[in-house]
Amino acid sequence: YTFWFNAVEAEVYGYSIFFTTLGVWLILYWEGTAHGQTNDRWLFLIAYLFGLGGGIHLLCLLTVPTLLILVWFADGRLRRLILLLLGLGVWGFLALATLGPGTPSNVTIALALVGIMVYLYHNDDQRSCWLLLGVGILFALGYSTYGALYIRSGLNPAIDENDPETWVMFLKFLGREQYGTDSQLLGMLTARASRAYQFWHQQMKYFFQQFPFPLFERTVEFRQATSTDAHFVHISLVPYLLGLGGLLWHGQRDWRRFAAVMTMFIVMGFGLSMYLNMPDPQPRERHYVFGGMFFAFALWIGLGWTALAEYLRSNIEAVRGPLLVGVTCVGLLLPVGIVAKLYHEQDRTGDHIAYDYAYNILQSCEQDGILFTNGDNDTFPLWFLQEVEGIRRDVRVVNLSLLNTNWYIKQLRDREPKISLELSDNYIDSTLTDTQYVDLYQRVWQEPLISQVHGTVKKVGLDIQIAPPGGHELLRVQDLMILAILNWNAWKKPIYFAITVAGSNRLYLDPHLRMEGMVMRLVKEKNLGADSEKLAHNLFEVYRFRGLMDPEIYKDDNTTRLLGNYRACVMQLSEMQLDAGQKEEMAKTLEWGRAHIPYSWDGFYMGSQILQEGGYNDQAAEYLEAAGSSLLKQYGQTPQATYETLNAIANLLVNSHKAYDRGGRIYSDLIELEPGRWSLYHDLAATLQALGRTLEGIALLEEYLAEYGEQPKIQEALQILHNSLKSDDVAEETAPAP
């Protein structure tokens, strides 16, 4: 799952796992061929590749302990060098974790230690000396690819994160100061979330998600990393039993290599969980960080089938030659089965959803607009369209997450399309974004800051009450910058918030935000609601919805949530049309939305309510049944797809809409899923009676009694149906002749 996910995502993790696997393969090749100075070229190659890999993502460097274990057992003459390198590595790791990579003393001490080691080894162990020099130089050469950022940033490209064009900024970039300066090594000693959440509902959930197979499946309930909702994972016993068997066989047959692989499994699994210490909730499901753990277990899955083939060869006389080859090739069914389970989910053919989503957001803005976005997911696609496709470069995208950094504020001020910001570099660096207490104190919600903020709000003509978001008594840099942009822009350029920006990041501006589709426009007037004319124009004439209705294009959870914004636009417009007395247009809007946007169960449910208010009862019942059908397909897989919700929908269809046939179908499908619930049989029998199919209702109740024994309510209902039949017969007999 993760390897394919990485392969189709524009991220670094696919490349990182490539260097990880290549490094492991090369060290095994070196170990399995010859040792000595002539074969050490493979060690030099590994050092260079890991330098390259470290320049992409540091994850591959966690494989180094595995490599050192293999070298330790393969060549005893290198053990002293390994011990010295381990000592240097531990010191370097502690220094990096506590002080950061940019500390001059750390660099000086590291160089000095390497120089001393080279001098000592030069006299009595030239092989180790050359290895130390060669590995260090080649790793540095590979890692020097980071220097491309230093050069490229000096040319001021449109997307220039961290602006590492000076040595100081470059070191801050390497030290990841944008993400905080606290030591993760020390911080992991204090859990930022329950360890059960970190180890079970993240790491182990992702582990069991990796190798689906259409045989011996079990559904296990975890929880989502992003919320407390349930997250169901289908686990096949086949690959995991094979992996467990391979693990045991490997440990018995080759404990040295087993120790190396186990080290990788632990370090890149449980070790990373401890080190990253992920808080709860997470912004996304971060399975990709544990790729090394999954890779190690994949090796054991392969060895598990090897162990099975070896057992057959050794213990069953008939399994020899071609037959043994045939039996061994049966193991290829495992990856074939995984392809069958995962291909649709990972296939991106014809998937234009992210592209069109970014296009629709940009095209919602008027010329030279300023658009506030929330974070990576709703910013990077916009930048792609602007900088690669050349679409709507006039719109200045303002990422609220980055708006807390000094370099980004300067870029907004200085680079086209510029935003009016009368702030000096010194004020931005030393006051606005600095983390010293004397500067933080100036953002505390007290005088004179309160008066300054209220004065700015009054100056721009907005009727709102500002307060620190989230109950804290400190305004964030992004909050102050929103106010600064409003102040100096002075309504010269239109200002928008993407619909994905959370309410807590909109700085209490909601009364002055008018929905126009995928964006909300800041206006002087208060509580205007949505702009129905602009909303209709964007939906019907501007926006693109390629592939949304194609069932061959997989929609994951993120995409499904994203499509919810489209549905919200349709529902908003239809409600406004209903309020305006445009009932026919309302019905057409809902049908248009149904044809262009996949409705979720709640979309159908909301549409049903709007249609019912407009007097379209038959269509309302159809939408309500569609909501139930959608939930039935997800039954037990999502928090909403429960018996209670579906039973309520069926009851509404029967009791409120008098749509007995539609409600009856929901009851029937629910009985298949919950065959022991007597209330379903009771309600379905009553529905059948209302449809004039009393005999079918009697048969249904008798079927329940035969299967599950006596039930007073069912017996009572059965008697009522029998009495109903008798009454019908009497009425028929006494009816006057025509």
Side-chain angles (χ1 to χ4, degrees), residues 28-319:
L28 289 171
Y29 181 82
W30 168 84
E31 180 209 29
T33 52
H35 304 140
Q37 200 155 347
T38 58
N39 205 41
D40 287 345
R41 60 184 182 274
W42 301 114
L43 299 180
F44 292 137
L45 177 59
I46 291 171
Y48 176 66
L49 291 174
F50 272 37
L52 286 176
I56 293 172
H57 195 277
L58 297 177
L59 188 66
C60 66
L61 300 185
L62 295 179
T63 320
V64 170
T66 296
L67 272 59
L68 291 179
I69 290 173
L70 290 169
V71 173
W72 177 276
F73 288 120
D75 193 338
R77 290 169 295 176
L78 296 178
R79 291 181 179 177
R80 185 174 63 154
L81 176 61
I82 291 173
L83 289 174
L84 289 171
L85 287 174
L86 282 174
L88 181 62
V90 169
W91 172 83
F93 180 76
L94 292 173
L96 286 172
T98 55
L99 300 177
T103 307
S105 58
N106 287 341
V107 178
T108 304
I109 296 172
L111 291 172
L113 288 174
V114 172
I116 293 171
M117 291 172 65
V118 169
Y119 175 78
L120 293 175
Y121 275 119
H122 184 265
N123 294 324
D124 64 348
D125 190 348
Q126 288 202 345
R127 180 191 173 202
S128 294
C129 175
W130 290 117
L131 264 178
L132 182 62
L133 270 177
V135 165
I137 291 172
L138 287 169
F139 179 86
L141 184 62
Y143 197 73
S144 69
T145 53
Y146 255 129
L149 295 174
Y150 182 80
I151 298 169
R152 179 64 178 144
S153 178
L155 300 175
N156 294 331
I159 299 173
D160 191 8
E161 290 209 31
N162 294 274
D163 198 20
E165 62 183 45
T166 65
W167 185 244
V168 172
M169 292 298 293
F170 184 61
L171 291 179
K172 287 183 177 181
F173 168 70
L174 291 180
R176 296 170 59 85
E177 289 190 16
Q178 173 183 329
Y179 303 101
T181 56
D182 293 339
S183 168
Q184 281 193 276
L185 182 66
L186 300 176
M188 72 180 187
L189 302 177
T190 303
R192 292 191 287 181
S194 75
R195 295 301 186 188
Y197 165 80
Q198 293 173 341
F199 289 124
W200 183 247
H201 294 291
Q202 285 194 301
Q203 178 194 328
M204 295 308 295
K205 177 182 70 176
Y206 303 143
F207 173 66
F208 288 123
Q209 191 180 30
Q210 292 307 305
F211 308 105
F213 189 73
L215 192 65
F216 300 117
E217 285 186 295
R218 300 288 186 273
T219 300
V220 178
E221 180 179 344
F222 295 89
R223 55 153 291 200
Q224 296 182 7
T226 55
S227 69
T228 57
D229 291 343
H231 187 163
F232 296 93
V233 175
H234 305 289
I235 304 171
S236 171
L237 299 179
V238 175
Y240 292 97
L241 287 177
L242 271 177
L244 180 60
L247 181 155
L248 297 174
W249 185 78
H250 197 202
Q252 293 173 349
R253 293 286 295 265
D254 187 358
W255 68 268
R256 293 177 176 85
R257 292 190 183 96
F258 168 79
V261 177
M262 179 58 78
T263 299
M264 181 165 58
F265 183 82
I266 293 174
V267 169
M268 302 186 81
F270 296 96
L272 263 180
S273 277
M274 287 289 294
Y275 179 71
L276 294 175
N277 197 9
M278 298 183 195
D280 182 8
Q282 284 288 291
R284 65 187 66 86
E285 300 285 355
R286 302 179 67 187
H287 53 91
Y288 42 82
V289 301
F290 301 108
M293 176 192 184
F294 311 148
F295 166 53
F297 195 79
L299 296 177
W300 283 326
I301 292 177
L303 289 176
W305 195 258
T306 303
L308 182 60
E310 180 67 18
Y311 174 83
L312 294 174
R313 185 186 67 82
S314 303
N315 294 277
I316 301 178
E317 189 66 28
V319 182

Side-chain angles (χ1 to χ4, degrees), residues 283-425:
R284 65 187 66 86
E285 300 285 355
R286 302 179 67 187
H287 53 91
Y288 42 82
V289 301
F290 301 108
M293 176 192 184
F294 311 148
F295 166 53
F297 195 79
L299 296 177
W300 283 326
I301 292 177
L303 289 176
W305 195 258
T306 303
L308 182 60
E310 180 67 18
Y311 174 83
L312 294 174
R313 185 186 67 82
S314 303
N315 294 277
I316 301 178
E317 189 66 28
V319 182
R320 290 286 187 274
L323 182 57
L324 179 62
V325 173
V327 171
T328 304
C329 287
V330 173
L332 296 177
L333 291 175
L334 180 63
V336 169
I338 292 175
V339 168
K341 292 287 288 187
L342 275 184
Y343 185 80
H344 171 66
E345 190 169 333
Q346 301 292 0
D347 180 23
R348 298 295 185 268
T349 305
D351 187 350
H352 302 285
I353 294 174
Y355 187 107
D356 288 350
Y357 189 76
Y359 177 88
N360 295 342
I361 290 178
L362 286 174
Q363 295 293 10
S364 301
C365 302
E366 291 186 3
Q367 185 71 21
D368 299 323
I370 298 172
L371 173 63
F372 290 105
T373 58
N374 207 44
D376 296 355
N377 287 351
D378 58 354
T379 302
F380 293 166
L382 306 184
W383 283 347
F384 168 81
L385 259 66
Q386 289 182 316
E387 304 307 325
V388 178
E389 302 287 293
I391 296 173
R392 296 303 307 269
R393 289 182 174 175
D394 61 287
V395 176
R396 169 50 100 171
V397 176
V398 180
N399 184 306
L400 289 173
S401 298
L402 299 180
L403 199 54
N404 294 290
T405 61
N406 58 348
W407 56 268
Y408 187 63
I409 294 171
K410 295 174 188 175
Q411 289 180 10
L412 293 176
R413 182 195 63 190
D414 300 337
R415 301 186 186 181
E416 295 292 345
K418 297 179 181 179
I419 291 181
S420 297
L421 289 173
E422 299 176 15
L423 300 174
S424 67
D425 285 359

Side-chain angles (χ1 to χ4, degrees), residues 419-473:
I419 291 181
S420 297
L421 289 173
E422 299 176 15
L423 300 174
S424 67
D425 285 359
N426 183 62
Y427 176 78
I428 294 171
D429 293 334
S430 63
T431 302
L432 184 61
T433 62
D434 196 58
T435 55
Q436 297 184 42
Y437 283 117
V438 64
D439 296 315
L440 287 174
Y441 193 73
Q442 298 188 50
R443 291 196 273 122
V444 174
W445 191 243
Q446 60 183 15
E447 296 293 349
L449 179 62
I450 295 176
S451 296
Q452 292 171 355
V453 168
H454 288 163
T456 300
V457 171
K458 184 177 181 180
K459 178 182 176 182
V460 297
L462 299 178
D463 181 17
I464 54 174
Q465 293 295 319
I466 299 290
H472 301 291
E473 294 304 310

Side-chain angles (χ1 to χ4, degrees), residues 500-566:
T500 47
V501 174
S504 60
N505 291 334
R506 297 198 291 259
L507 198 62
Y508 300 93
L509 293 170
D510 286 14
H512 290 275
L513 294 179
R514 192 168 198 195
M515 182 184 179
E516 296 184 354
M518 302 310 295
V519 299
M520 295 173 290
R521 182 171 182 168
L522 185 70
V523 295
K524 292 184 178 180
E525 297 81 2
K526 196 173 182 181
N527 299 321
L528 290 181
D531 186 334
S532 60
E533 184 176 341
K534 184 75 172 179
L535 182 53
H537 172 73
N538 285 332
L539 275 176
F540 302 146
E541 301 179 34
V542 177
Y543 290 170
R544 296 175 177 176
F545 304 99
R546 290 180 294 174
L548 294 190
M549 300 304 294
D550 187 350
E552 295 301 314
I553 297 176
Y554 178 75
K555 287 86 174 175
D556 61 14
D557 290 341
N558 286 328
T559 302
T560 301
R561 284 193 293 270
L562 178 149
L563 297 182
N565 294 320
Y566 290 148

Side-chain angles (χ1 to χ4, degrees), residues 681 694-705 718 721:
Y681 288 81
T694 306
L695 288 175
E696 292 181 44
I698 290 172
L700 178 73
L701 296 180
E702 289 176 343
E703 175 188 330
Y704 178 87
L705 292 173
L718 185 60
L721 291 185

Side-chain angles (χ1 to χ4, degrees), residues 643-660:
Y643 162 78
E644 288 75 17
T645 306
L646 279 161
N647 190 50
I649 287 175
N651 289 339
L652 278 174
L653 284 167
V654 170
N655 300 321
S656 298
H657 293 273
K658 307 304 180 185
Y660 300 113

